[in-house]
Amino acid sequence: MEDKILALFDQKQNWTLNEIEAALNLRSTEAFVQLVKTLNVLEDKHILLNNHHHYMRMDANQYLVGKLKDISRFEWMLSDGVQKIYLPKHKNEGLFVDDLVLVDIQTKKVVRVYEHTIHQLTGTMVRRKKQLVFHSDIDYHCEFQLKTMDPSLRPGTKVVAQITNYARPVEIKISEIIGNEKDPGVDITSMLYANKVRMHFNEKVQKELKKIPHEVRDQDRENRVDLRSLITFTIDGDDAKDFDDAISIERKPSGYRLYVHIADVSHYVQTKSAIDREAFARSTSIYVCDRVIPMLPFDLSNGICSLNPNVDRCTLTVQMEIDATGHCTSYKIYPSLIHSNQRCTYKKVNQLLEGNVVSEYARIRNQLFDLEACAYLLENQAKERGAIQFETKEPAIVLNDKGKAVDVYEKTRGYAEEMIEQCMILANVCVANCLHQAHLPCMYRVHLKPNPEKASTINTMALALHLSYDIMPDEIEPKVLAQFLSSLEENEAYPIISMISLRAMEKAYYDADCLGHFGLALEEYCHFTSPIRRYSDLVVHRMLRKYLFEKQDREQVSKDIHAIGQQAEHVSEKEREAIAIERLVNDYKKAEYMQKNIGRVYTGMISGVQKFGFFVELSNTIEGLVPVHTLMDDFYIFDEDTLTLQARSQKKAYQLGQKVRVVCTGVDVPKGHVEFALITSQNGKKH
């Protein structure tokens, strides 16, 4: 019936329901019901539009369907992935971030809301005109109405509210009481609830936890290689509580024998158990500035699965032979039993490597220097094959005892972090190679070659900066890009090109197919080294156990590959959600910190340019927007190719990587937004 209906719109643009019924000569109730269903489908497909009087065919020149993004106090941005337009908020009220909407391009007004993605809000109960009302944490420019009032609610109570009706006012009901707004950490808890983060482990999980031992038993030691005589150590951050990887290393005449021991979570978490189902639902631990929301309960992640010092632990070990050039000449993978001798921190290991005395590491001092030498070899091999080193920054946010942000700075990395990273990458490569070459199921970590259209932005920016770069976007290879970036390390253009190159990359994800990792310049790669915090790694452990250690029948291989394909989609999505939540909390706390610095002048670098303004990143990783409407000295035009705001007079331009001086003019803490303005010199000009 779809084709018949659409044929009518070739005759004229607007049709009423009765006109369509008559034109199709429908004579039964069943046919009429089918007509209405088909019209609804065509509306859902955004082919037809019903304005409550007529059906009309959607005109791509008149309408745009996309999701809303909140970019400033004044504007929404609507994008369909190709085209984007900016909508004034005063014309479009009662909307929410990520709403799927239809917009009239000419009037810039939302004509239809197809789908709301926000169904849950957090906020505070406040007293207003002798009534207790709900005040949303984020200003959605709409009123909320509580249909029923819980008598236990008081002013200052933080709550979770479910939207029951997207009317005006928006109707809500209270689903959970979080605590008092002044309690430390309640603000972050509210954000986690608002983003539907799973905060608690259910009763079934708690019941299963009681059956899991707190120490390694005799039966746990069976069928394991006993490596307790090896000197073994962990290296993690100062505040780490869960240790899922440990290292042993032996110097050999031909090079090194490197052992990477990984917590054997699969020994304790059985497939389809309540713990496993909850771990899969979460798929990853989430790390925010005041806590960890773990994938596994703390009894496991900080207890029996954690490779704590001075206790026996069940592990899976990758034993690798590294020659004098840094090549891995052979490897073995097997279940093992270890006894960690020392819990090390990156900070103290870096101090040791820099020549300082760290007395508590005296017993493993030689091993740490052997690991450093081995890591240099592995790093050289990574550079040789073309692994790309992007310039990235990670924030550290310091909170006081009230949970408020009092400092923000960029985390620094020493060689200890690089050592562990090189060891983990090599172990992951060996495991991926083992399963792939044996045609066994595996959840691979995939990073595809960049889309030529995105890759072309590197060429455009290089041309704009007068850099020699003539690689065809559809022929880009990691080694060539890595060499180009390396050649610019002393050039002031390096941060810009590194930033553009990173943004041109595809997002890494999980897949049942071995499709390679572009950024690491590897044909085979998976995640094996963090089963405490990533479900993908737990899946890989189970495949090793099932087919390599227990040598089960291969008749399940195709079934497992299919299952992993489905799991990979879910795990990839949950990873993206976790990254978004971590960034959301960081932005919130950065804005909170900047609240006390309004009026302060900073020097920063332009990190992003859009039609509506440009973003400036400070040395402490805080980023803020300079809105284009604040640039009063000229009219600025956005050049999307060179990511430049060019003054119409051609006297001035603002582009990516440019150093500017700004003053913090305002913040929106709930939204995590910081706003800057270019500072004015004595002659009144912006610079």
Side-chain angles (χ1 to χ4, degrees):
M1 186 177 280
E2 280 191 16
D3 292 339
K4 291 181 179 179
I5 293 172
L6 293 176
L8 296 178
F9 287 88
D10 292 333
Q11 300 173 27
K12 70 172 186 174
Q13 175 66 13
N14 298 335
W15 292 79
T16 66
L17 178 60
N18 290 338
E19 286 175 339
I20 296 173
E21 181 186 14
L24 295 179
N25 197 26
L26 303 182
R27 298 184 179 278
S28 68
T29 302
E30 291 80 4
F32 180 78
V33 170
Q34 184 59 42
L35 168 64
V36 173
K37 287 182 178 179
T38 306
L39 288 170
N40 289 338
V41 169
L42 290 170
E43 278 197 87
D44 291 340
K45 289 181 177 179
H46 312 142
I47 297 172
L48 296 182
L49 171 64
N50 178 8
N51 66 1
H52 303 297
H53 299 289
H54 297 88
Y55 285 92
M56 61 188 76
R57 188 192 287 272
M58 294 269 284
D59 182 350
N61 294 319
Q62 183 179 357
Y63 298 105
L64 182 66
V65 176
K67 287 196 170 186
L68 291 173
K69 297 296 179 187
D70 187 2
I71 59 171
S72 77
R73 290 178 293 170
F74 309 100
E75 286 184 307
W76 296 104
M77 183 182 77
L78 179 83
S79 173
D80 64 354
V82 178
Q83 185 180 355
K84 55 189 175 185
I85 60 174
Y86 300 91
L87 313 174
K89 283 186 175 177
H90 71 274
K91 285 187 178 181
N92 297 281
E93 298 178 344
L95 299 172
F96 294 86
V97 175
D98 287 336
D99 280 356
L100 182 65
V101 300
L102 173 70
V103 168
D104 186 314
I105 296 173
Q106 300 302 317
T107 64
K108 294 190 176 180
K109 290 190 69 173
V110 172
V111 178
R112 175 73 53 82
V113 177
Y114 287 114
E115 180 187 349
H116 292 291
T117 56
I118 292 180
H119 310 289
Q120 181 173 278
L121 309 165
T122 59
T124 308
M125 303 306 299
V126 299
R127 183 78 65 187
R128 186 179 296 162
K129 295 181 180 179
K130 297 184 179 181
Q131 285 188 320
L132 203 57
V133 299
F134 173 82
H135 180 75
S136 174
D137 287 336
I138 294 178
D139 184 5
Y140 290 109
H141 307 284
C142 59
E143 293 293 323
F144 297 95
Q145 181 179 9
L146 267 171
K147 298 303 289 183
T148 57
M149 181 64 69
D150 186 331
S152 67
L153 295 175
R154 298 287 184 272
T157 304
K158 275 281 185 184
V159 297
V160 181
Q162 301 290 334
I163 297 176
T164 58
N165 188 7
Y166 293 90
R168 292 190 181 182
V170 178
E171 296 177 4
I172 60 172
K173 66 176 182 180
I174 303 302
S175 59
E176 188 149 1
I177 296 174
I178 301 173
N180 188 282
E181 63 175 335
K182 294 182 179 179
D183 293 341
V186 163
D187 52 354
I188 293 179
T189 301
S190 297
M191 297 176 74
L192 298 174
Y193 271 114
N195 287 276
K196 300 178 182 177
V197 173
R198 301 172 77 94
M199 304 282 285
H200 309 291
F201 291 97
N202 60 42
E203 290 183 8
K204 291 182 179 179
V205 170
Q206 300 297 339
K207 189 175 180 180
E208 286 184 359
L209 285 174
K210 294 177 181 178
K211 299 177 182 179
I212 293 178
H214 297 292
E215 58 185 26
V216 175
R217 304 162 300 181
D218 289 342
Q219 60 262 42
D220 300 322
R221 295 181 170 88
E222 294 175 1
N223 301 315
R224 293 183 181 277
V225 178
D226 192 340
L227 300 178
R228 288 177 293 177
S229 61
L230 283 176
I231 293 179
T232 300
F233 50 90
T234 61
I235 309 179
D236 294 275
D238 286 10
D239 55 353
K241 299 291 190 298
D242 56 335
F243 313 120
D244 47 15
D245 58 86
I247 299 290
S248 302
I249 189 165
E250 298 173 319
R251 185 187 287 271
K252 298 291 180 181
S254 58
Y256 299 92
R257 178 172 294 159
L258 175 65
Y259 302 80
V260 172
H261 316 286
I262 305 299
D264 190 357
V265 175
S266 63
H267 179 68
Y268 297 102
V269 179
Q270 303 305 309
T271 305
K272 296 183 179 179
S273 63
I275 296 173
D276 180 51
R277 288 194 296 270
E278 182 63 27
F280 177 66
R282 299 180 181 216
S283 288
T284 180
S285 296
I286 301 174
Y287 296 84
V288 293
C289 52
D290 71 339
R291 73 194 76 176
V292 177
I293 301 90
M295 183 182 81
L296 297 172
F298 288 119
D299 305 61
L300 292 170
S301 61
N302 292 12
I304 190 63
C305 291
S306 182
L307 307 186
N308 300 326
N310 305 314
V311 290
D312 291 354
R313 285 292 183 259
C314 296
T315 50
L316 299 187
T317 292
V318 184
Q319 177 183 321
M320 297 160 282
E321 304 298 326
I322 315 295
D323 69 16
T325 65
H327 285 95
C328 178
T329 57
S330 65
Y331 63 81
K332 298 177 184 177
I333 307 170
Y334 49 83
S336 54
L337 184 70
I338 69 162
H339 189 97
S340 176
N341 304 99
Q342 183 72 52
R343 182 268 204 260
C344 303
T345 66
Y346 290 127
K347 182 178 179 180
K348 289 184 179 179
V349 172
N350 282 321
Q351 289 173 353
L352 179 71
L353 298 180
E354 290 165 4
N356 298 295
V357 175
V358 182
S359 57
E360 62 193 283
Y361 296 171
R363 183 182 177 188
I364 62 168
R365 182 181 182 278
N366 292 339
Q367 283 76 11
L368 289 171
F369 280 111
D370 285 344
L371 183 61
E372 179 189 34
C374 181
Y376 275 125
L377 298 177
L378 299 179
E379 186 182 14
N380 288 336
Q381 278 303 316
K383 290 177 181 177
E384 180 63 28
R385 71 172 183 265
I388 305 170
Q389 294 290 327
F390 293 109
E391 185 180 75
T392 57
K393 296 180 179 180
E394 186 179 353
I397 300 172
V398 181
L399 307 180
N400 63 16
D401 56 2
K402 294 181 180 179
K404 302 297 182 183
V406 293
D407 194 15
V408 180
Y409 60 91
E410 180 189 355
K411 285 185 181 178
T412 57
R413 273 172 60 101
Y415 201 71
E417 289 89 338
E418 181 68 24
M419 292 193 314
I420 294 301
E421 186 173 324
Q422 290 298 333
C423 293
M424 298 305 121
I425 289 173
L426 184 57
N428 289 334
V429 169
C430 292
V431 170
N433 174 263
C434 173
L435 292 171
H436 186 232
Q437 296 304 316
H439 305 288
L440 293 172
C442 180
M443 186 179 286
Y444 295 98
R445 183 64 167 176
V446 171
H447 186 223
L448 297 178
K449 190 174 184 176
N451 178 289
E453 186 176 343
K454 287 185 177 180
S456 67
T457 60
I458 307 173
N459 299 64
T460 303
M461 187 55 66
L463 182 64
L465 296 172
H466 309 292
L467 300 172
S468 177
Y469 181 81
D470 55 0
I471 303 167
M472 296 299 292
D474 57 348
E475 297 175 0
I476 190 169
E477 294 297 333
K479 189 168 185 176
V480 178
L481 180 57
Q483 290 173 341
F484 174 62
L485 290 172
S486 179
S487 71
L488 297 175
E489 286 184 357
E490 302 301 321
N491 191 308
E492 62 180 11
Y494 174 69
I496 313 168
I497 295 296
S498 180
M499 191 186 305
I500 288 290
S501 300
L502 182 58
R503 292 174 183 175
M505 295 297 106
E506 296 294 312
K507 301 295 183 185
Y509 64 96
Y510 295 103
D511 203 297
D513 294 327
C514 186
L515 303 175
H517 196 292
F518 181 87
L520 293 174
L522 292 167
E523 294 181 0
E524 299 166 316
Y525 194 65
C526 72
H527 277 166
F528 157 81
T529 52
S530 296
I532 287 176
R533 63 183 180 90
R534 292 189 304 229
Y535 196 84
S536 56
D537 306 51
L538 180 55
V539 170
V540 172
H541 281 224
R542 285 174 174 158
M543 294 303 101
L544 290 170
R545 179 177 301 283
K546 184 174 184 178
Y547 294 107
L548 192 67
F549 308 150
E550 297 178 357
K551 301 189 185 301
Q552 291 186 25
D553 199 307
R554 283 180 172 240
E555 64 183 16
Q556 294 289 315
V557 164
S558 60
K559 183 179 178 181
D560 282 335
I561 291 174
H562 177 72
I564 288 173
Q566 293 180 318
Q567 291 172 331
E569 289 185 20
H570 171 78
V571 172
S572 297
E573 177 62 28
K574 296 305 290 185
E575 178 189 53
R576 289 191 290 271
E577 288 178 9
I579 292 170
I581 290 164
E582 290 167 359
R583 186 177 294 127
L584 197 69
V585 173
N586 280 347
D587 288 347
Y588 171 87
K589 284 299 177 183
K590 287 177 180 180
E592 181 181 76
Y593 170 73
M594 291 301 287
Q595 204 169 25
K596 296 180 180 179
N597 291 283
I598 293 174
R600 185 173 174 182
V601 174
Y602 297 90
T603 298
M605 182 184 74
I606 296 179
S607 57
V609 184
Q610 295 287 344
K611 180 181 178 180
F612 53 84
F614 55 84
F615 292 92
V616 175
E617 184 181 66
L618 309 182
S619 60
N620 60 5
T621 76
I622 289 175
E623 193 173 54
L625 175 68
V626 176
V628 71
H629 66 79
T630 65
L631 304 176
M632 305 295 290
D633 59 336
D634 209 326
F635 182 80
Y636 287 84
I637 301 165
F638 178 52
D639 185 334
E640 193 167 4
D641 289 334
T642 61
L643 296 178
T644 303
L645 277 173
Q646 177 71 54
R648 185 163 52 187
S649 66
Q650 299 293 313
K651 292 181 179 180
K652 196 176 299 182
Y654 298 104
Q655 68 176 153
L656 208 64
Q658 184 177 336
K659 293 285 182 68
V660 291
R661 296 188 72 207
V662 294
V663 59
C664 180
T665 56
V667 298
D668 186 331
V669 175
K671 291 182 179 178
H673 291 174
V674 176
E675 196 165 292
F676 291 137
L678 291 175
I679 66 169
T680 306
S681 61
Q682 291 181 354
N683 61 9
K685 294 182 179 180
K686 299 276 179 67
H687 60 95

